[in-house]
Amino acid sequence: QLVESGGGLVQPGRSTVLACSAVGFKLDSYGIGWFRQAPGKEREWIACESGRGRNYADAVKGRFTASRENTGNTAFLQMNSLKPEDAGVYYCAVESWFTSCDANKMTYWGRGTLVTVSS
């Protein structure tokens, strides 16, 4: 099971961090993908941290950073300089260590956490 946390209301230009905690399995054996779904839009991939390295969608590159605890069981998505278009439900998902974070191949998904960007 994956559990996301840290969503909420954030002002434009500010920062927040999301957490993704694994329950029942060791997160360090998996690659982690972050996805989001804005209202009325399809889910989109935004970040991938795996044996292939860290990769980001152009829309968030330079503003978002994916990381994980070295010894813990939690991954993080640091989100800086937030824009209204960053609003949506954010999901973490895992797959094999060398995953490319293809949404159709992710093994486990969290239920998501809502991020609202508004003044």
Side-chain angles (χ1 to χ4, degrees):
Q1 182 182 7
L2 291 170
V3 180
E4 299 98 339
S5 61
L9 175 63
V10 185
Q11 292 182 330
R14 303 299 290 265
S15 301
T16 195
V17 59
L18 304 183
C20 172
S21 298
V23 180
F25 64 96
K26 296 293 290 182
L27 195 57
D28 57 6
S29 301
Y30 294 86
I32 301 167
W34 290 90
F35 303 81
R36 70 184 179 194
Q37 186 165 19
K41 295 186 177 181
E42 294 190 355
R43 182 178 57 196
E44 63 174 335
W45 165 77
I46 57 173
C48 185
E49 187 201 9
S50 70
R52 299 171 183 250
R54 294 193 182 104
N55 295 286
Y56 301 93
D58 289 344
V60 305
K61 195 174 296 182
R63 299 188 298 121
F64 289 15
T65 302
S67 65
R68 68 174 81 193
E69 294 178 328
N70 288 333
T71 57
N73 223 25
T74 302
F76 303 96
L77 184 67
Q78 175 70 43
M79 305 191 296
N80 299 329
S81 302
L82 282 162
K83 305 175 181 180
E85 53 263 41
D86 292 320
V89 178
Y90 282 71
Y91 301 88
C92 62
V94 298
E95 211 248 327
S96 63
W97 175 241
F98 286 102
T99 181
S100 61
C101 293
D102 181 337
N104 294 319
K105 297 181 180 178
M106 305 307 283
T107 305
Y108 301 117
W109 288 83
R111 293 190 174 186
T113 185
L114 177 65
V115 175
T116 303
V117 183
S118 175
S119 54

